[in-house]
Amino acid sequence: MEGRLELEIARKQGRSAVIYSQCAGPLKLGMPGGKTDRLELILMMASAGILKGDSLSYQFLCREGSKAVITEQSYSKIFDTGAGAGQKQTDIRLEGDASLFYCPSAVIPFAGSCFRGNMTVALDRESEFLCWDMVTAGRVGMGETFAFASYRNRICVTEEGRPVWLDHCLLEPERMDVRGMVFLDGHTHQGTLYYHGPAAKEERLLDYQAAGPVLMAKTRPAVGVCFRLLADTAQNMEEEFVRMRELVG
């Protein structure tokens, strides 16, 4: 199954709006909304999750002056893919001072699953961009902790064509000590947040201290700020990320 979703967001009559969209099942777009000047969009999928051979493609183009936040309807489930894999490609382009917060739900890799994700983000110097990525150990309550075969997700952010941040998350429980100190250190959930924007907002994030039961590390890549979180529930991690997003709102 190949699913595709394309979006173009622009400033129109003083508000941000979707001026173009195209979807190919099972991907769908919820009704755009929002009570502020930041357009709120929800990505939906009319299937239980990602299966063997599935390939999903997302393309987002944000025109100058637009402001949007993109979330997902529910957690992304990766079912047993056998000898195959499920794939997801996301390509994002922001023009000028466009602002996009891309906030997908946590990924739950089921036992025997293999996932390959790749995201490219092209920014201008004035662009504001926030994204996060969350992965769990699997269906922990069902006894499937780290029972998946492989999880790989790569994120590359460029500014004016120059790479400024690259994250490559690779977890293969059969080959790696994923419970050990250099990986998840006994935790079951890992999250990464990246922010590119005004210097004052970056400093505000760097001053932020975790409020929930999570472990947090922060660093400055070539441009922007980056945070890594370890937690034991997706809710704790997501609540932390939401608080950080609200800081730069």
Side-chain angles (χ1 to χ4, degrees):
M1 177 180 62
E2 293 188 3
R4 186 180 72 259
L5 192 153
E6 300 177 14
L7 287 177
E8 185 175 346
I9 303 167
R11 199 78 176 172
K12 189 176 181 181
Q13 297 179 344
R15 296 181 63 86
S16 297
V18 176
I19 63 171
Y20 172 81
S21 67
Q22 184 178 44
C23 304
L27 303 182
K28 302 196 313 183
L29 178 66
M31 184 67 69
K35 298 180 180 180
T36 67
D37 64 342
R38 184 176 293 276
L39 181 67
E40 298 179 5
L41 300 170
I42 300 177
L43 306 181
M44 307 170 70
M45 184 162 60
S47 69
I50 298 177
L51 302 169
K52 175 182 177 180
D54 285 354
S55 180
L56 307 181
S57 173
Y58 295 87
Q59 294 183 24
F60 309 139
L61 172 59
C62 299
R63 299 293 186 183
E64 187 169 1
S66 64
K67 298 177 66 175
V69 55
I70 297 177
T71 60
E72 290 183 337
Q73 182 184 26
S74 62
Y75 293 166
S76 296
K77 303 178 182 66
I78 316 297
F79 293 106
D80 185 349
T81 56
Q87 300 183 56
K88 178 181 178 181
Q89 176 70 40
T90 305
D91 297 301
I92 300 173
R93 172 75 175 103
L94 272 63
E95 296 180 344
D97 63 350
S99 175
L100 175 65
F101 297 165
Y102 179 48
C103 309
S105 299
V107 176
I108 304 176
F110 284 35
S113 67
C114 181
F115 175 76
R116 298 287 180 265
N118 187 59
M119 182 165 75
T120 65
V121 184
L123 306 176
D124 288 342
R125 196 175 306 277
E126 303 82 11
S127 303
E128 181 182 35
F129 177 71
L130 179 146
C131 72
W132 65 54
D133 175 60
M134 297 183 287
V135 60
T136 76
R139 296 191 299 175
V140 177
M142 301 291 289
E144 291 185 3
T145 305
F146 297 117
F148 57 90
S150 177
Y151 174 87
R152 180 194 297 269
N153 194 45
R154 181 181 185 275
I155 305 173
C156 180
V157 178
T158 62
E159 180 193 80
E160 308 284 349
R162 177 176 67 100
V164 294
W165 182 65
L166 176 66
D167 184 70
H168 189 181
C169 177
L170 174 62
L171 299 173
E172 294 182 340
E174 290 189 1
R175 296 197 312 111
M176 303 171 175
D177 181 17
V178 293
R179 302 172 191 267
M181 183 176 64
V182 297
F183 286 94
L184 271 68
D185 195 21
H187 297 278
T188 55
H189 295 63
Q190 175 183 278
T192 302
L193 182 146
Y194 173 78
Y195 177 77
H196 173 290
K201 291 186 178 183
E202 291 183 0
E203 291 298 330
R204 197 180 306 162
L205 279 177
L206 286 172
D207 289 339
Y208 177 78
Q209 300 297 321
V214 302
L215 292 179
M216 175 187 288
K218 60 188 75 173
T219 187
R220 271 196 176 278
V223 177
V225 291
C226 176
F227 300 83
R228 187 87 72 186
L229 269 67
L230 296 176
D232 293 311
T233 71
Q235 180 177 346
N236 287 340
M237 193 159 49
E238 187 169 6
E239 288 176 350
E240 207 71 51
F241 282 159
V242 169
R243 282 191 283 266
M244 297 170 71
R245 184 181 73 190
E246 291 173 347
L247 276 179
V248 297

